[in-house]
Amino acid sequence: MKAVILVGGEGTRLRPVTCLNPKPMLPLMNRPFMHNFISWLMSHGLKDIIFTACYLPRPFIDYFGKGEKFGIDIAYETEKVPLGTCGAVKNVEKYLKGSGQFMVFNGDILSSLDLTDMINFHKSKRADITISLTSVEDPTAYGLVPIDSEGRVREFLEKPGRDQIVTNLINAGTYIMEPRILDLAPAGKNYSFERGLFPAALEKGFRIYGYVSSAYWLDVGTPEKYLAAHHDIGLGKIEFDYPYPEIEPGIYGGTNVSYNRESFSKGPVVIGDNTVIEKGAKIEPLTTIGKNCHIASGARLCGCVIFNNCRIGKGSQVSGSIISNSVTLGNDVIVEGCSIIGDNTQIKDGNILKNGIKININSKIVRGQIFF
Ligand code: GTP
């Protein structure tokens, strides 16, 4: 079965980390998010992949090429203007004609959904469309999909008010479709599945089913959820193939990592190639450090994600926050509370960045400038 992966969004909610890096290629435990995603698809026999790109397409092509290194086939289509979730799939219809039902994936979900079982469900129901559904505690920010006792979709409720909540099942961003469904979508226009094609198909009487799963599922679209993805993997909530061997119990390290054992209390911690952790630095659990980084003595890192080529100065502390590529923190800088530092930024000594503050790419924050 062919799989279309939607990777063309701008990822605005994750700015500034998505200013230079497309969301599905952001690091997840030091490997591109899409690497783990492709492994998930491959484990269910999906090896014929079509990437629908738009915003920053190059990193996908550079990393995956035609898929030969992974033993799969990858085709790319890059939209000149964003066509929306359904418009992007309509735009690759030529790859899907004549090969039967196909799957569509939002490219920003971390999930262990059993795709094989979902495909069997789709076939057994003789569905035109099957939508994976997951339950969430607060469904108000999502599209709700109530189903009947047979699993057939009754209606689509986009971002409902509190009084409209009839189910906590939401669209989990993975679909199986019969090719004729795409006849309902306009070509070359921005069109969405959630607000366009799905309600239109329901109205016309197509057989739309919801496949309910309690498998791990997270839409990695916000800074909080991007960090949560790392923490959940570290806590073992989803099976994950770490990119490196354990160099100490619970400490996964690449080649040429320089460290002292006393820097770690316990894992999990992930450290990229050639990173230096000076004696006297403290690396607490659920921390990921990229490659070619330098963590100075007296620095303390906890539950944070640090990309490649970063320098963390003496006595600086980073907790529950994201530091993008090639960032330098001076001495005694504090970054906490889901704050984000954009690529190529310098934060001089003594700044205090907290409460979800976002520092744009290529910034230079002078000594002691921010402290509230
Ligand atoms: P936000 O701007 O933060 O909402 O993120 P986003 O742009 O990624 O949008 P959203 O999370 O709603 O997108 C869900 C999935 O669809 C993601 O994998 C996006 O990359 C993808 N996507 C969204 N819009 C488009 C589009 O116009 N074209 C393509 N090819 N993919 C899209």
Side-chain angles (χ1 to χ4, degrees):
M1 194 180 284
K2 295 198 174 180
V4 182
I5 311 180
L6 300 163
V7 295
E10 287 188 35
T12 52
R13 289 166 297 158
L14 260 169
R15 284 180 187 157
V17 284
T18 46
C19 289
L20 301 178
N21 316 290
K23 180 169 56 173
M25 291 300 280
L26 288 176
L28 180 66
M29 296 295 199
N30 280 358
R31 265 209 207 105
F33 182 83
M34 209 20 79
H35 179 111
N36 176 63
F37 199 98
I38 292 289
S39 303
W40 172 45
L41 269 55
M42 287 174 67
S43 71
H44 291 281
L46 295 165
K47 295 184 177 168
D48 209 341
I49 312 285
I50 302 146
F51 277 121
T52 66
C54 185
Y55 177 69
L56 300 177
R58 199 68 230 176
F60 298 93
I61 302 167
D62 290 346
Y63 189 81
F64 289 106
K66 290 187 177 141
E68 51 286 67
K69 269 188 277 170
F70 296 78
I72 56 176
D73 281 324
I74 302 182
Y76 299 87
E77 198 67 40
T78 302
E79 296 146 42
K80 289 199 180 70
V81 288
L83 291 173
T85 48
C86 181
V89 178
K90 179 76 178 171
N91 193 43
V92 297
E93 201 175 10
K94 60 176 184 271
Y95 296 100
L96 303 168
K97 283 247 160 84
S99 44
Q101 54 218 180
F102 60 90
M103 294 199 77
V104 176
F105 294 85
N106 279 358
D108 59 352
I109 51 169
L110 176 64
S111 178
S112 58
L113 181 70
D114 185 343
L115 302 174
T116 308
D117 196 51
M118 184 176 169
I119 293 168
N120 291 338
F121 173 90
H122 177 83
K123 289 179 180 164
S124 73
K125 295 289 183 188
R126 291 180 296 104
D128 295 305
I129 304 172
T130 297
I131 301 172
S132 66
L133 304 179
T134 190
S135 58
V136 288
E137 264 172 40
D138 177 13
T140 46
Y142 296 92
L144 298 196
V145 188
I147 51 174
D148 68 16
S149 58
E150 297 296 309
R152 195 153 176 175
V153 172
R154 289 190 288 141
E155 60 179 327
F156 292 98
L157 289 165
E158 267 308 304
K159 311 223 164 100
R162 295 226 166 253
D163 52 336
Q164 285 178 296
I165 296 184
V166 289
T167 177
N168 62 352
L169 290 175
I170 63 153
N171 174 346
T174 298
Y175 319 120
I176 305 173
M177 291 180 197
E178 299 299 316
R180 65 176 175 280
I181 286 295
L182 288 180
D183 294 345
L184 301 181
K189 291 224 169 79
N190 190 298
Y191 193 56
S192 99
F193 280 121
E194 302 81 355
R195 285 171 297 280
L197 185 113
F198 291 159
L202 193 65
E203 177 93 22
K204 289 195 169 3
F206 283 95
R207 296 168 64 80
I208 309 184
Y209 279 82
Y211 174 78
V212 181
S213 168
S214 57
Y216 180 92
W217 181 87
L218 185 71
D219 138 34
V220 186
T222 62
E224 291 79 7
K225 288 180 178 169
Y226 176 70
L227 283 170
H230 287 80
H231 297 172
D232 286 354
I233 290 168
L235 293 169
K237 291 187 186 174
I238 178 169
E239 212 173 289
F240 191 82
D241 179 22
Y242 281 85
Y244 319 117
E246 265 179 297
I247 51 174
E248 296 289 336
I251 312 299
Y252 299 86
T255 52
N256 204 23
V257 173
S258 165
Y259 67 98
N260 284 269
R261 209 180 266 187
E262 304 77 60
S263 284
F264 310 111
S265 52
K266 60 181 178 135
V269 167
V270 174
I271 309 165
D273 299 346
N274 306 319
T275 282
V276 175
I277 297 171
E278 281 183 7
K279 192 164 187 219
K282 284 272 172 248
I283 315 296
E284 309 279 352
L286 302 176
T287 294
T288 302
I289 309 170
K291 61 183 178 187
N292 305 322
C293 292
H294 188 104
I295 316 297
S297 170
R300 183 176 162 269
L301 309 181
C302 177
C304 56
V305 179
I306 295 179
F307 292 12
N308 300 328
N309 309 318
C310 292
R311 297 186 72 82
I312 310 294
K314 284 200 170 88
S316 285
Q317 299 186 30
V318 184
S319 84
S321 294
I322 307 167
I323 310 279
S324 312
N325 292 302
S326 306
V327 167
T328 301
L329 302 188
N331 299 334
D332 302 313
V333 171
I334 294 176
V335 183
E336 63 179 30
C338 207
S339 295
I340 310 185
I341 316 291
D343 294 64
N344 311 322
T345 285
Q346 288 179 40
I347 311 279
K348 299 287 183 187
D349 299 353
N351 280 287
I352 301 176
L353 310 171
K354 54 186 185 179
N355 299 324
I357 193 170
K358 297 178 182 184
I359 305 292
N360 204 358
I361 59 168
N362 305 326
S363 298
K364 193 166 176 180
I365 306 295
V366 300
R367 191 186 169 110
Q369 190 181 351
I370 303 176
F371 52 87
F372 44 82

PDB file of all heavy atoms in Angstrom, residues 6-14 23-24 52-54 79 82-85 88 106-108 190 221, ligand 1:
ATOM      1  N   LEU A   6       2.300  14.028   4.789  1.00  0.00           N
ATOM      2  CA  LEU A   6       2.162  15.484   4.669  1.00  0.00           C
ATOM      3  C   LEU A   6       3.258  16.156   5.480  1.00  0.00           C
ATOM      4  O   LEU A   6       3.275  16.036   6.714  1.00  0.00           O
ATOM      5  CB  LEU A   6       0.802  15.918   5.217  1.00  0.00           C
ATOM      6  CG  LEU A   6      -0.415  15.319   4.507  1.00  0.00           C
ATOM      7  CD1 LEU A   6      -1.661  15.475   5.361  1.00  0.00           C
ATOM      8  CD2 LEU A   6      -0.599  15.980   3.159  1.00  0.00           C
ATOM      9  N   VAL A   7       4.169  16.817   4.805  1.00  0.00           N
ATOM     10  CA  VAL A   7       5.285  17.448   5.535  1.00  0.00           C
ATOM     11  C   VAL A   7       5.487  18.904   5.112  1.00  0.00           C
ATOM     12  O   VAL A   7       6.548  19.471   5.312  1.00  0.00           O
ATOM     13  CB  VAL A   7       6.608  16.655   5.335  1.00  0.00           C
ATOM     14  CG1 VAL A   7       6.509  15.273   5.951  1.00  0.00           C
ATOM     15  CG2 VAL A   7       7.004  16.552   3.865  1.00  0.00           C
ATOM     16  N   GLY A   8       4.446  19.524   4.531  1.00  0.00           N
ATOM     17  CA  GLY A   8       4.652  20.846   3.938  1.00  0.00           C
ATOM     18  C   GLY A   8       4.282  22.026   4.796  1.00  0.00           C
ATOM     19  O   GLY A   8       4.427  23.173   4.369  1.00  0.00           O
ATOM     20  N   GLY A   9       3.792  21.787   6.034  1.00  0.00           N
ATOM     21  CA  GLY A   9       3.337  22.911   6.862  1.00  0.00           C
ATOM     22  C   GLY A   9       4.487  23.759   7.381  1.00  0.00           C
ATOM     23  O   GLY A   9       5.630  23.295   7.459  1.00  0.00           O
ATOM     24  N   GLU A  10       4.182  24.989   7.748  1.00  0.00           N
ATOM     25  CA  GLU A  10       5.223  25.913   8.225  1.00  0.00           C
ATOM     26  C   GLU A  10       5.569  25.698   9.694  1.00  0.00           C
ATOM     27  O   GLU A  10       6.567  26.220  10.186  1.00  0.00           O
ATOM     28  CB  GLU A  10       4.777  27.359   8.030  1.00  0.00           C
ATOM     29  CG  GLU A  10       4.806  27.786   6.581  1.00  0.00           C
ATOM     30  CD  GLU A  10       4.548  29.277   6.425  1.00  0.00           C
ATOM     31  OE1 GLU A  10       4.967  30.071   7.290  1.00  0.00           O
ATOM     32  OE2 GLU A  10       3.907  29.630   5.428  1.00  0.00           O
ATOM     33  N   GLY A  11       4.705  24.980  10.405  1.00  0.00           N
ATOM     34  CA  GLY A  11       4.992  24.724  11.824  1.00  0.00           C
ATOM     35  C   GLY A  11       5.080  26.015  12.617  1.00  0.00           C
ATOM     36  O   GLY A  11       5.982  26.187  13.440  1.00  0.00           O
ATOM     37  N   THR A  12       4.116  26.904  12.414  1.00  0.00           N
ATOM     38  CA  THR A  12       4.196  28.243  13.031  1.00  0.00           C
ATOM     39  C   THR A  12       4.203  28.179  14.558  1.00  0.00           C
ATOM     40  O   THR A  12       4.839  29.005  15.217  1.00  0.00           O
ATOM     41  CB  THR A  12       3.025  29.136  12.584  1.00  0.00           C
ATOM     42  OG1 THR A  12       1.805  28.432  12.821  1.00  0.00           O
ATOM     43  CG2 THR A  12       3.112  29.467  11.110  1.00  0.00           C
ATOM     44  N   ARG A  13       3.497  27.183  15.116  1.00  0.00           N
ATOM     45  CA  ARG A  13       3.415  27.135  16.586  1.00  0.00           C
ATOM     46  C   ARG A  13       4.746  26.731  17.212  1.00  0.00           C
ATOM     47  O   ARG A  13       4.937  26.883  18.406  1.00  0.00           O
ATOM     48  CB  ARG A  13       2.309  26.157  17.016  1.00  0.00           C
ATOM     49  CG  ARG A  13       0.901  26.672  16.726  1.00  0.00           C
ATOM     50  CD  ARG A  13      -0.118  25.563  16.833  1.00  0.00           C
ATOM     51  NE  ARG A  13       0.120  24.535  15.833  1.00  0.00           N
ATOM     52  CZ  ARG A  13      -0.300  23.277  15.915  1.00  0.00           C
ATOM     53  NH1 ARG A  13      -0.983  22.897  16.976  1.00  0.00           N
ATOM     54  NH2 ARG A  13      -0.051  22.414  14.956  1.00  0.00           N
ATOM     55  N   LEU A  14       5.637  26.218  16.395  1.00  0.00           N
ATOM     56  CA  LEU A  14       6.956  25.823  16.933  1.00  0.00           C
ATOM     57  C   LEU A  14       8.054  26.822  16.568  1.00  0.00           C
ATOM     58  O   LEU A  14       9.236  26.533  16.729  1.00  0.00           O
ATOM     59  CB  LEU A  14       7.319  24.432  16.412  1.00  0.00           C
ATOM     60  CG  LEU A  14       7.082  23.278  17.400  1.00  0.00           C
ATOM     61  CD1 LEU A  14       7.212  21.944  16.708  1.00  0.00           C
ATOM     62  CD2 LEU A  14       8.057  23.350  18.559  1.00  0.00           C
ATOM     63  N   LYS A  23       9.353  21.209  10.592  1.00  0.00           N
ATOM     64  CA  LYS A  23       8.939  20.481  11.808  1.00  0.00           C
ATOM     65  C   LYS A  23       9.210  18.975  11.730  1.00  0.00           C
ATOM     66  O   LYS A  23       9.769  18.411  12.679  1.00  0.00           O
ATOM     67  CB  LYS A  23       7.454  20.774  12.088  1.00  0.00           C
ATOM     68  CG  LYS A  23       6.889  20.097  13.298  1.00  0.00           C
ATOM     69  CD  LYS A  23       5.498  20.621  13.694  1.00  0.00           C
ATOM     70  CE  LYS A  23       4.450  20.545  12.636  1.00  0.00           C
ATOM     71  NZ  LYS A  23       3.105  20.910  13.097  1.00  0.00           N
ATOM     72  N   PRO A  24       8.875  18.277  10.622  1.00  0.00           N
ATOM     73  CA  PRO A  24       9.090  16.817  10.637  1.00  0.00           C
ATOM     74  C   PRO A  24      10.564  16.408  10.583  1.00  0.00           C
ATOM     75  O   PRO A  24      10.873  15.227  10.710  1.00  0.00           O
ATOM     76  CB  PRO A  24       8.356  16.339   9.368  1.00  0.00           C
ATOM     77  CG  PRO A  24       7.421  17.448   9.010  1.00  0.00           C
ATOM     78  CD  PRO A  24       8.119  18.707   9.436  1.00  0.00           C
ATOM     79  N   THR A  52       4.748  14.915   0.486  1.00  0.00           N
ATOM     80  CA  THR A  52       4.191  16.141  -0.089  1.00  0.00           C
ATOM     81  C   THR A  52       4.792  17.303   0.696  1.00  0.00           C
ATOM     82  O   THR A  52       4.409  17.565   1.835  1.00  0.00           O
ATOM     83  CB  THR A  52       2.660  16.179   0.015  1.00  0.00           C
ATOM     84  OG1 THR A  52       2.314  16.250   1.387  1.00  0.00           O
ATOM     85  CG2 THR A  52       2.024  14.958  -0.615  1.00  0.00           C
ATOM     86  N   ALA A  53       5.761  17.954   0.096  1.00  0.00           N
ATOM     87  CA  ALA A  53       6.484  19.021   0.787  1.00  0.00           C
ATOM     88  C   ALA A  53       6.017  20.387   0.284  1.00  0.00           C
ATOM     89  O   ALA A  53       5.291  20.499  -0.713  1.00  0.00           O
ATOM     90  CB  ALA A  53       7.979  18.849   0.550  1.00  0.00           C
ATOM     91  N   CYS A  54       6.429  21.422   0.973  1.00  0.00           N
ATOM     92  CA  CYS A  54       6.147  22.797   0.528  1.00  0.00           C
ATOM     93  C   CYS A  54       7.173  23.700   1.209  1.00  0.00           C
ATOM     94  O   CYS A  54       8.124  24.144   0.604  1.00  0.00           O
ATOM     95  CB  CYS A  54       4.710  23.188   0.877  1.00  0.00           C
ATOM     96  SG  CYS A  54       4.248  24.796   0.250  1.00  0.00           S
ATOM     97  N   GLU A  79       4.901  21.630  -3.359  1.00  0.00           N
ATOM     98  CA  GLU A  79       3.888  22.624  -3.762  1.00  0.00           C
ATOM     99  C   GLU A  79       4.506  24.020  -3.838  1.00  0.00           C
ATOM    100  O   GLU A  79       5.293  24.383  -2.967  1.00  0.00           O
ATOM    101  CB  GLU A  79       2.754  22.640  -2.715  1.00  0.00           C
ATOM    102  CG  GLU A  79       1.999  21.349  -2.625  1.00  0.00           C
ATOM    103  CD  GLU A  79       1.520  21.036  -1.201  1.00  0.00           C
ATOM    104  OE1 GLU A  79       1.047  21.936  -0.491  1.00  0.00           O
ATOM    105  OE2 GLU A  79       1.645  19.858  -0.821  1.00  0.00           O
ATOM    106  N   PRO A  82       1.059  26.525  -0.480  1.00  0.00           N
ATOM    107  CA  PRO A  82       0.481  25.452   0.337  1.00  0.00           C
ATOM    108  C   PRO A  82      -0.921  25.076  -0.146  1.00  0.00           C
ATOM    109  O   PRO A  82      -1.768  25.940  -0.362  1.00  0.00           O
ATOM    110  CB  PRO A  82       0.416  26.059   1.739  1.00  0.00           C
ATOM    111  CG  PRO A  82       1.273  27.264   1.717  1.00  0.00           C
ATOM    112  CD  PRO A  82       1.373  27.735   0.310  1.00  0.00           C
ATOM    113  N   LEU A  83      -1.147  23.802  -0.315  1.00  0.00           N
ATOM    114  CA  LEU A  83      -2.433  23.342  -0.828  1.00  0.00           C
ATOM    115  C   LEU A  83      -3.337  22.784   0.263  1.00  0.00           C
ATOM    116  O   LEU A  83      -4.436  22.295  -0.023  1.00  0.00           O
ATOM    117  CB  LEU A  83      -2.203  22.276  -1.909  1.00  0.00           C
ATOM    118  CG  LEU A  83      -1.589  22.817  -3.216  1.00  0.00           C
ATOM    119  CD1 LEU A  83      -1.241  21.674  -4.164  1.00  0.00           C
ATOM    120  CD2 LEU A  83      -2.536  23.797  -3.890  1.00  0.00           C
ATOM    121  N   GLY A  84      -2.878  22.845   1.516  1.00  0.00           N
ATOM    122  CA  GLY A  84      -3.681  22.279   2.610  1.00  0.00           C
ATOM    123  C   GLY A  84      -3.542  20.760   2.621  1.00  0.00           C
ATOM    124  O   GLY A  84      -2.970  20.159   1.713  1.00  0.00           O
ATOM    125  N   THR A  85      -4.090  20.132   3.673  1.00  0.00           N
ATOM    126  CA  THR A  85      -3.863  18.693   3.851  1.00  0.00           C
ATOM    127  C   THR A  85      -4.440  17.866   2.705  1.00  0.00           C
ATOM    128  O   THR A  85      -3.757  16.988   2.156  1.00  0.00           O
ATOM    129  CB  THR A  85      -4.450  18.235   5.202  1.00  0.00           C
ATOM    130  OG1 THR A  85      -5.776  18.748   5.330  1.00  0.00           O
ATOM    131  CG2 THR A  85      -3.618  18.722   6.366  1.00  0.00           C
ATOM    132  N   ALA A  88      -2.908  18.795  -0.888  1.00  0.00           N
ATOM    133  CA  ALA A  88      -1.563  18.218  -1.082  1.00  0.00           C
ATOM    134  C   ALA A  88      -1.671  16.784  -1.593  1.00  0.00           C
ATOM    135  O   ALA A  88      -0.880  16.350  -2.436  1.00  0.00           O
ATOM    136  CB  ALA A  88      -0.792  18.253   0.238  1.00  0.00           C
ATOM    137  N   ASN A 106      -0.432  12.695   8.694  1.00  0.00           N
ATOM    138  CA  ASN A 106       0.136  13.976   9.117  1.00  0.00           C
ATOM    139  C   ASN A 106       1.572  13.673   9.550  1.00  0.00           C
ATOM    140  O   ASN A 106       1.798  12.710  10.295  1.00  0.00           O
ATOM    141  CB  ASN A 106      -0.619  14.537  10.328  1.00  0.00           C
ATOM    142  CG  ASN A 106      -1.904  15.233   9.925  1.00  0.00           C
ATOM    143  OD1 ASN A 106      -2.219  15.333   8.739  1.00  0.00           O
ATOM    144  ND2 ASN A 106      -2.642  15.706  10.900  1.00  0.00           N
ATOM    145  N   GLY A 107       2.505  14.485   9.115  1.00  0.00           N
ATOM    146  CA  GLY A 107       3.914  14.170   9.368  1.00  0.00           C
ATOM    147  C   GLY A 107       4.424  14.630  10.711  1.00  0.00           C
ATOM    148  O   GLY A 107       5.637  14.705  10.921  1.00  0.00           O
ATOM    149  N   ASP A 108       3.542  14.976  11.628  1.00  0.00           N
ATOM    150  CA  ASP A 108       4.016  15.496  12.920  1.00  0.00           C
ATOM    151  C   ASP A 108       3.426  14.722  14.088  1.00  0.00           C
ATOM    152  O   ASP A 108       3.266  15.275  15.168  1.00  0.00           O
ATOM    153  CB  ASP A 108       3.690  16.989  13.044  1.00  0.00           C
ATOM    154  CG  ASP A 108       2.200  17.268  12.936  1.00  0.00           C
ATOM    155  OD1 ASP A 108       1.429  16.353  12.615  1.00  0.00           O
ATOM    156  OD2 ASP A 108       1.804  18.426  13.192  1.00  0.00           O
ATOM    157  N   ASN A 190      -6.345  25.157  -2.297  1.00  0.00           N
ATOM    158  CA  ASN A 190      -6.102  24.842  -0.898  1.00  0.00           C
ATOM    159  C   ASN A 190      -7.381  24.223  -0.320  1.00  0.00           C
ATOM    160  O   ASN A 190      -8.444  24.841  -0.351  1.00  0.00           O
ATOM    161  CB  ASN A 190      -5.728  26.125  -0.146  1.00  0.00           C
ATOM    162  CG  ASN A 190      -5.223  25.820   1.250  1.00  0.00           C
ATOM    163  OD1 ASN A 190      -5.939  25.265   2.078  1.00  0.00           O
ATOM    164  ND2 ASN A 190      -3.972  26.157   1.501  1.00  0.00           N
ATOM    165  N   GLY A 221       3.141  19.343  17.788  1.00  0.00           N
ATOM    166  CA  GLY A 221       3.006  20.614  17.065  1.00  0.00           C
ATOM    167  C   GLY A 221       3.334  21.857  17.865  1.00  0.00           C
ATOM    168  O   GLY A 221       3.380  22.948  17.308  1.00  0.00           O
TER     169      GLY A 221
HETATM  170  P1  GTP B   1       1.173  25.057  12.515  1.00  0.00           P
HETATM  171  O1  GTP B   1       1.498  26.185  11.580  1.00  0.00           O
HETATM  172  O2  GTP B   1       1.888  25.203  13.810  1.00  0.00           O
HETATM  173  O3  GTP B   1      -0.293  24.819  12.678  1.00  0.00           O
HETATM  174  O4  GTP B   1       1.792  23.683  11.923  1.00  0.00           O
HETATM  175  P2  GTP B   1       1.620  23.021  10.476  1.00  0.00           P
HETATM  176  O5  GTP B   1       1.901  24.022   9.431  1.00  0.00           O
HETATM  177  O6  GTP B   1       2.470  21.802  10.460  1.00  0.00           O
HETATM  178  O7  GTP B   1       0.097  22.623  10.399  1.00  0.00           O
HETATM  179  P3  GTP B   1      -0.632  21.341  10.986  1.00  0.00           P
HETATM  180  O8  GTP B   1      -0.017  20.942  12.271  1.00  0.00           O
HETATM  181  O9  GTP B   1      -2.095  21.590  10.992  1.00  0.00           O
HETATM  182  O10 GTP B   1      -0.314  20.270   9.843  1.00  0.00           O
HETATM  183  C1  GTP B   1      -0.550  18.889   9.992  1.00  0.00           C
HETATM  184  C2  GTP B   1       0.370  18.176   9.009  1.00  0.00           C
HETATM  185  O11 GTP B   1       0.049  18.542   7.666  1.00  0.00           O
HETATM  186  C3  GTP B   1       1.828  18.521   9.196  1.00  0.00           C
HETATM  187  O12 GTP B   1       2.595  17.357   9.009  1.00  0.00           O
HETATM  188  C4  GTP B   1       2.108  19.561   8.117  1.00  0.00           C
HETATM  189  O13 GTP B   1       3.462  19.490   7.645  1.00  0.00           O
HETATM  190  C5  GTP B   1       1.160  19.132   7.013  1.00  0.00           C
HETATM  191  N1  GTP B   1       0.618  20.272   6.239  1.00  0.00           N
HETATM  192  C6  GTP B   1      -0.135  21.300   6.692  1.00  0.00           C
HETATM  193  N2  GTP B   1      -0.467  22.126   5.685  1.00  0.00           N
HETATM  194  C7  GTP B   1       0.093  21.611   4.557  1.00  0.00           C
HETATM  195  C8  GTP B   1       0.116  22.016   3.190  1.00  0.00           C
HETATM  196  O14 GTP B   1      -0.451  23.036   2.787  1.00  0.00           O
HETATM  197  N3  GTP B   1       0.795  21.229   2.299  1.00  0.00           N
HETATM  198  C9  GTP B   1       1.436  20.097   2.710  1.00  0.00           C
HETATM  199  N4  GTP B   1       2.092  19.379   1.779  1.00  0.00           N
HETATM  200  N5  GTP B   1       1.458  19.686   4.001  1.00  0.00           N
HETATM  201  C10 GTP B   1       0.775  20.427   4.900  1.00  0.00           C
END
